[in-house]
Amino acid sequence: MQISQILAAARNSLNGLTDGLWSDAELYISLYMVELRMSREARTIENTYDAQTVAGTAQYIKPTRAIEIVGVTYNGTPLNYMDYRQYYAMNVNASTSSGTPANYAFRDDAFFLYPTPDTAGDLQVFTYDEPDIPTANSVLETPSAYHDVLVDGLTARMCPKDLGHPLTVYWKAEFENGLERVVQFSKRRKRGNKYNVVKSEETLNTNQFGIT
């Protein structure tokens, strides 16, 4: 659906297609809030960022809109995720280690490559993002499979301005139920993509005896 269609569908749900109670500008913000919550809870917006590493630099800033980084490649080769404690321990024990990165770790809004790159290389970062604030000419980043839930969420957010609307509780429940379905679908999809990896000692870069 286009943004204008989502706004029209929400207005129709409240029998307010020609009602001037809600301006397009405020509905764009309300739609953004619905998308933001959905992206935060269900990880619905996937993105890929391309960058270049810098020789001798291990730390890189997480993309601004990224909620979660789910994968990193260096020159096309997937890197292994490691816990930041592992990264710190390995740097303590091999602080001058440099070469071709094989691992990455997170801390706050930064991620770290290990070993530290010894030359410039192509970096790809795969993320789940938060949305941009929509405008009249935007293309929604939320996949079309979830647009019906966006309509329900926008309708629910419109109800309080129409004081005492009899369907306020109904539309809120429709949105919450729809959002839960999106969350469950997203979890199944992530398992299919192998994003949910159970950590075991065999998959880590350190074990009880030290660094492997």
Side-chain angles (χ1 to χ4, degrees):
M1 298 175 72
Q2 297 178 354
I3 290 180
S4 60
Q5 293 173 312
I6 288 182
L7 268 56
R11 285 188 167 111
N12 268 330
S13 298
L14 299 177
N15 296 317
L17 186 57
T18 60
D19 197 329
L21 184 60
W22 305 280
S23 70
D24 284 357
E26 64 183 316
L27 292 187
Y28 295 149
I29 296 298
S30 291
L31 180 57
Y32 166 73
M33 299 300 287
V34 175
E35 277 197 287
L36 183 61
R37 182 179 171 191
M38 184 182 290
S39 65
R40 188 170 58 238
E41 296 187 19
R43 303 296 197 261
T44 47
I45 300 174
E46 300 181 20
N47 207 349
T48 304
Y49 295 89
D50 296 307
Q52 283 277 311
T53 60
V54 177
T57 300
Q59 179 177 338
Y60 298 85
I61 301 301
K62 182 180 74 174
T64 304
R65 290 175 49 217
I67 297 172
E68 178 184 359
I69 294 176
V70 294
V72 179
T73 67
Y74 180 80
N75 287 339
T77 301
L79 304 186
N80 297 312
Y81 170 76
M82 67 164 64
D83 186 271
Y84 182 78
R85 290 173 297 179
Q86 291 178 268
Y87 171 80
Y88 180 79
M90 293 173 79
N91 268 334
V92 167
N93 292 324
S95 58
T96 60
S97 178
S98 64
T100 300
N103 307 281
Y104 70 99
F106 301 119
R107 180 167 180 167
D108 299 326
D109 286 330
F111 63 99
F112 303 81
L113 305 182
Y114 185 88
T116 299
D118 58 2
T119 186
D122 295 324
L123 195 66
Q124 274 197 319
V125 183
F126 301 88
T127 65
Y128 288 122
D129 279 7
E130 63 185 41
D132 275 331
I133 297 176
T135 65
N137 299 318
S138 297
V139 175
L140 283 175
E141 298 162 291
T142 300
S144 58
Y146 312 136
H147 285 186
D148 59 328
V149 183
L150 293 183
V151 172
D152 292 344
L154 179 57
T155 304
R157 289 187 64 88
M158 291 165 67
C159 284
K161 192 170 183 180
D162 191 358
L163 298 177
H165 196 286
L167 294 179
T168 299
V169 175
Y170 170 81
W171 285 114
K172 179 175 174 57
E174 283 291 290
F175 172 60
E176 295 297 339
N177 292 334
L179 180 60
E180 180 59 26
R181 290 193 298 271
V182 174
V183 169
Q184 294 306 316
F185 178 80
S186 179
K187 287 180 179 178
R188 292 194 299 271
R189 184 190 60 186
K190 288 174 70 174
R191 284 196 292 270
N193 289 339
K194 302 186 185 303
Y195 286 156
N196 285 351
V197 178
V198 177
K199 294 182 182 179
S200 65
E201 190 171 79
E202 289 75 18
T203 63
L204 299 179
N205 294 297
T206 60
N207 59 29
Q208 59 179 323
F209 302 109
I211 299 171
T212 59

